[in-house]
Amino acid sequence: MTSPYQSLQHTEAVARFDLLTVEEYDIRLDLASDERTFGSVTTIRFTSRGGATFVDLKPTRVNEIRFNGVVLDPDLLERGRLPLDTVAGANELVVDAVMPFRNDGEGLHRSVDPADGKSYVYGMSFMDAAPTIFACFDQPDLKAPYTFHVRAPEDWVVIGNAPGSNPEKGVWEFERTQPLSTYFVTLVAGPYHLIRDEHDGIPLGLSARASVAKDLDADADELFTMTKQCFDEFHRLFGIRYPFGDYHQAFVPEFNAGAMENPGCVTFRDPLIFSSRVTRGMRIARATTLAHEMAHQWFGNIVTPKWWDDLWLNESFAEYMGNRVTADVTQYADVWSDMAYARRQWGLVADQRPSTHPVAGNGAFDASAALQDFDGISYSKGSAVLKQLNATLGDDVFFAGAIDHFTRHRFGNATMHDLFESWERAGAGDLSSFTSNWLRTAGPDALVLDRAAGVIRRTPPAEHPAERTHTFRAAVAVDGAWEDRTVEVTGPETPFVVPEGAPVVIDAYDETWAVAQADPATVRSLVPLLADVKDGHLRAGVWNNVRSALHNAAIDPADVLDLVVASPPVEDPEDTLRRTWTWVFSWVVPLAPTGAAARVHEAALEAMVAATPGSERQLAALRAAIRSADDEAILRGWLAVPPVGIDMDLDLRWKVLVRLAAIGAADRDELQRALDAEPTARSRVEHTLAVASLPDAEAKAWAWARFTGEVDVPNYELEAAASGMWRGGQEAITAPYVDRYFTDLPETVRVRSGWVLADAAEFYFPGNVLSEDLLERARAAAADQTLDLSVRRRLVDRADELARKLAVRKAFPHS
């Protein structure tokens, strides 16, 4: 079943752009009258060459539509489109509608903080969500200025894309914005805690829910300091000042992405305001996210892609510039090492899937298709390729071209062709070969050491061949001492001779984009050596080589397990989806010999004991030990008396409770008491994860009701329920839900849309099942043309992951 709304096709966007020029939007929102819906009156003034078109609108109810003074029949609205017969010259459309507050992180999202019962609202208009807030011509190249007028509860603060005033209680008036694409439009409204500052003439602001006010206060100095440092550096590099007035950074609840670069009011997921102890890895992630969104104010906001297939002009640049500026001017100079862990495999894995696509010009035929390419290729691969281009061109040419691009297309739209013309004008020379091989050709080359032949072999992807050269450093350990060798790969084979058995780390410092794979001898020889490697970037390079090799069934998971046990990756401490620890539990443990989890647990315990009390290594090792524990007494012992140097804060307490639930050592009453004791937003999500993790039929039915929409929950709780659903060791309990997944999946389009529709399809995929039957069913479902496109894409990706795990098991059977 497909979506009830029709996604905008590229051909339609071109026709509408050729027909219309949007002069302005005037929008009146009433956020105070209802908790489920809000009033939205949109006035759009535009000129037309004359002819038929349509406006995008996804309301709960239409009160009145008036076009050029004539009332239109609301029944003309079909699948989110209102047809208009425009006249040549000036036109005015007024839409008075009732719109839905949403709880999926899109449109105008409303949530209630369980800590104090206060309600909060924020707008997320990305891709195709704007029409659930206001009537609009929803495409990136029909930019226009916006003027907002908002009625809200009297105790609320309202922040938007432009500076606002509060002339009377409950009334907010905003200045006219610079020309914006629809997907940048936002409002943040509620009883938010605000902190204000100023730098270089730019008013700065921070906001978060009232219940985390003390945590925002604790972080404010660091956040403001980084913001000021980054502004100074971006102004120095670009020579163009930030042009959008205030710069407010709003940390909002239940946000799907890491952040959104809305001009004047950037929104971030509010777990980035830390209420529990975090490691440096999380602080680096927050710092780079902050700098990434600031980079967007130039790459994306001043100049916006004309269509979604140039999305990389936003994300790849922001990724590269955000990481670079964070490393150069903030306290987090070790960004590149951390990014090697956090982002590298995200991009490489995506680039090896059947769903791979070029960085640029990926031919998205509609907005929904474009959303599927919003992935590690757009971010991680694009960033790596731009870093290579910068190294080739040098800063002078690189930034001169960028400045020319911003100047020529200021407050407008542009394409990749426009940008490369700017670089060529700046002295880059002919970049057509670079563009063809690196940006317009999908898939990565594989770089593998052939010891017997004494060469490094370069193998391009069979379906996407390209002639790429690679220059990088390989690290070789000779008699226990590491040395770097510069390698230039210009053909299928490049001589590279090493002593017998010496470990080799290809592209040890992420200097090219390729799948660099560790060979079996390297993995085995690293076991006694890795613990002594102090260079953080080299250690990251080791793990990326190992991860890529296991991903391609080139090494034995038993050897990888030996490496994990000998040197647990506690230098990569955050247990998020893209990090090494999560990979250990999702790839190494299930595929290695029986007893792997127990060995990882013992290694984590040893690392925790060996670490300095209070250190990040101790905290990271404890997290891994909790995740792998199957002894109730140990877990409850930590709850009662944590290790010296550890504060058993909210985050760690819930980690223990979730693990107790997963092994059947906690019950619903205990979990409910924990939630009641600290009814925070974080506790509510963790409680959902814990209940769904219980090894009984009632818990799985409870989790499944959230997938089908029988029970409506916000996006974070939906993800948590899915994460607890398919626990390893619970296959007998979850077996009936394998069939139900394929039966119920098509109907989920009735209860959700956008990112969350696709996310739910991915998260609820039977992740604890490794079988050829499941692979066949997933591939068949992905080929079903009646299934929503975004769901099919996620099925393709999950099927690829399953196929690769089955290939490892077939090559190295251990059970």
Side-chain angles (χ1 to χ4, degrees), residues 502-533:
V504 176
V505 184
I506 299 172
D507 188 24
Y509 308 99
D510 306 327
E511 292 163 314
T512 191
W513 184 259
V515 177
Q517 294 184 187
D519 68 308
T522 288
V523 179
R524 290 191 289 269
S525 61
L526 277 168
V527 170
L529 297 179
L530 183 56
D532 294 325
V533 174

Side-chain angles (χ1 to χ4, degrees), residues 600-638:
V600 170
H601 180 67
E602 289 301 318
L605 288 177
E606 291 177 9
M608 184 181 72
V609 171
T612 303
S615 66
E616 291 186 11
R617 295 175 70 87
Q618 181 198 31
L619 178 60
L622 175 60
R623 286 175 172 173
I626 292 170
R627 189 169 180 174
S628 55
D630 59 8
D631 187 325
E632 179 182 1
I634 289 178
L635 290 164
R636 293 201 178 278
W638 284 328

